[in-house]
Coordinates of all heavy atoms in Angstrom, one line a residue:
P18 N 162.4 -51.2 -88.9 CA 160.9 -51.0 -89.1 C 160.3 -51.9 -90.2 O 159.1 -52.1 -90.2 CB 160.9 -49.5 -89.6 CG 162.2 -49.3 -90.2 CD 163.2 -50.1 -89.5
K19 N 161.1 -52.4 -91.1 CA 160.6 -53.3 -92.2 C 161.3 -54.6 -92.2 O 162.5 -54.7 -91.8 CB 160.8 -52.6 -93.6 CG 159.9 -51.3 -93.7 CD 160.1 -50.8 -95.1 CE 159.3 -49.5 -95.3 NZ 159.4 -49.0 -96.7
R20 N 160.6 -55.6 -92.6 CA 161.2 -57.0 -92.7 C 162.3 -57.0 -93.7 O 162.1 -56.6 -94.9 CB 160.1 -58.0 -93.1 CG 160.7 -59.4 -93.1 CD 159.5 -60.4 -93.5 NE 160.0 -61.7 -93.7 CZ 159.8 -62.7 -92.8 NH1 159.3 -62.4 -91.6 NH2 160.3 -63.9 -93.0
P21 N 163.5 -57.4 -93.4 CA 164.6 -57.3 -94.4 C 164.5 -58.4 -95.4 O 163.7 -59.4 -95.2 CB 165.9 -57.6 -93.5 CG 165.4 -58.4 -92.3 CD 164.0 -57.8 -92.1
R22 N 165.2 -58.2 -96.5 CA 165.1 -59.2 -97.6 C 166.3 -60.1 -97.6 O 166.3 -61.2 -98.1 CB 165.0 -58.5 -99.0 CG 163.7 -57.7 -99.1 CD 163.6 -57.1 -100.5 NE 162.3 -56.4 -100.7 CZ 161.9 -55.8 -101.8 NH1 162.8 -55.8 -102.9 NH2 160.8 -55.2 -101.9
E23 N 167.5 -59.6 -97.2 CA 168.7 -60.4 -97.2 C 168.6 -61.5 -96.2 O 168.2 -61.4 -95.0 CB 169.9 -59.5 -96.8 CG 170.2 -58.4 -97.8 CD 170.7 -59.0 -99.2 OE1 171.3 -60.1 -99.1 OE2 170.4 -58.4 -100.2
V24 N 169.0 -62.7 -96.6 CA 168.9 -63.9 -95.8 C 169.7 -63.7 -94.5 O 169.3 -64.1 -93.4 CB 169.4 -65.2 -96.6 CG1 169.5 -66.4 -95.7 CG2 168.4 -65.5 -97.7
A25 N 170.9 -63.2 -94.6 CA 171.8 -63.0 -93.4 C 171.1 -62.1 -92.4 O 171.2 -62.4 -91.2 CB 173.1 -62.5 -93.9
E26 N 170.4 -61.1 -92.9 CA 169.7 -60.2 -91.9 C 168.5 -60.9 -91.3 O 168.2 -60.7 -90.1 CB 169.3 -58.9 -92.7 CG 170.5 -58.1 -93.1 CD 170.0 -56.8 -93.8 OE1 168.9 -56.8 -94.4 OE2 170.8 -55.8 -93.8
L27 N 167.8 -61.7 -92.1 CA 166.7 -62.5 -91.5 C 167.2 -63.5 -90.5 O 166.6 -63.6 -89.4 CB 166.0 -63.3 -92.6 CG 165.1 -62.5 -93.6 CD1 164.7 -63.3 -94.8 CD2 163.9 -62.0 -92.9
Q28 N 168.3 -64.1 -90.7 CA 168.9 -65.0 -89.8 C 169.3 -64.3 -88.5 O 169.2 -64.8 -87.4 CB 170.1 -65.8 -90.4 CG 169.6 -66.7 -91.5 CD 170.8 -67.3 -92.3 OE1 171.8 -66.7 -92.4 NE2 170.6 -68.5 -92.9
A29 N 169.9 -63.1 -88.7 CA 170.3 -62.4 -87.5 C 169.1 -62.0 -86.6 O 169.2 -62.0 -85.4 CB 171.1 -61.1 -88.0
A30 N 168.1 -61.5 -87.3 CA 166.9 -61.1 -86.6 C 166.3 -62.3 -85.8 O 165.8 -62.2 -84.7 CB 165.8 -60.5 -87.5
A31 N 166.3 -63.5 -86.5 CA 165.8 -64.7 -85.8 C 166.6 -65.0 -84.6 O 166.1 -65.4 -83.6 CB 165.7 -65.8 -86.8
A32 N 167.9 -64.9 -84.7 CA 168.8 -65.3 -83.6 C 168.5 -64.4 -82.4 O 168.5 -64.8 -81.2 CB 170.3 -65.2 -84.0
V33 N 168.3 -63.1 -82.7 CA 168.1 -62.1 -81.6 C 166.7 -62.4 -81.0 O 166.5 -62.4 -79.8 CB 168.2 -60.7 -82.1 CG1 167.7 -59.7 -81.0 CG2 169.6 -60.4 -82.5
G34 N 165.7 -62.6 -81.8 CA 164.3 -62.7 -81.4 C 164.0 -64.0 -80.7 O 163.2 -64.1 -79.8
Q35 N 164.7 -65.1 -81.1 CA 164.4 -66.4 -80.5 C 164.7 -66.4 -79.0 O 164.0 -67.1 -78.3 CB 165.3 -67.4 -81.2 CG 164.9 -68.9 -81.0 CD 163.6 -69.2 -81.5 OE1 162.6 -69.4 -80.7 NE2 163.4 -69.2 -82.8
M36 N 165.6 -65.6 -78.5 CA 165.9 -65.6 -77.1 C 164.7 -65.1 -76.3 O 164.3 -65.7 -75.4 CB 167.1 -64.6 -76.8 CG 168.4 -65.1 -77.4 SD 169.1 -66.6 -76.6 CE 169.6 -65.9 -75.0
G37 N 164.1 -64.0 -76.8 CA 163.0 -63.4 -76.0 C 161.7 -64.3 -76.2 O 161.0 -64.4 -75.2
L38 N 161.6 -64.9 -77.4 CA 160.4 -65.7 -77.6 C 160.3 -66.9 -76.7 O 159.3 -67.2 -76.1 CB 160.3 -66.1 -79.1 CG 159.1 -66.8 -79.6 CD1 157.9 -65.9 -79.6 CD2 159.3 -67.4 -81.0
A39 N 161.5 -67.6 -76.6 CA 161.5 -68.8 -75.8 C 161.3 -68.5 -74.3 O 160.6 -69.2 -73.6 CB 162.9 -69.5 -76.0
Q40 N 162.0 -67.4 -73.9 CA 161.9 -67.0 -72.5 C 160.4 -66.7 -72.1 O 159.9 -67.0 -71.1 CB 162.8 -65.8 -72.2 CG 162.8 -65.4 -70.8 CD 163.7 -64.2 -70.5 OE1 163.8 -63.3 -71.3 NE2 164.3 -64.1 -69.4
M41 N 159.7 -66.0 -73.0 CA 158.3 -65.6 -72.8 C 157.4 -66.8 -72.6 O 156.6 -66.9 -71.7 CB 157.8 -64.6 -73.9 CG 156.4 -64.1 -73.7 SD 156.2 -63.0 -72.2 CE 157.0 -61.5 -72.9

């Protein structure tokens, strides 16, 4: 629900979200 602060978590979120973003 909230944007994480840890860099590793931000990177993980980006990796997951990039798939859907590019496809859309």
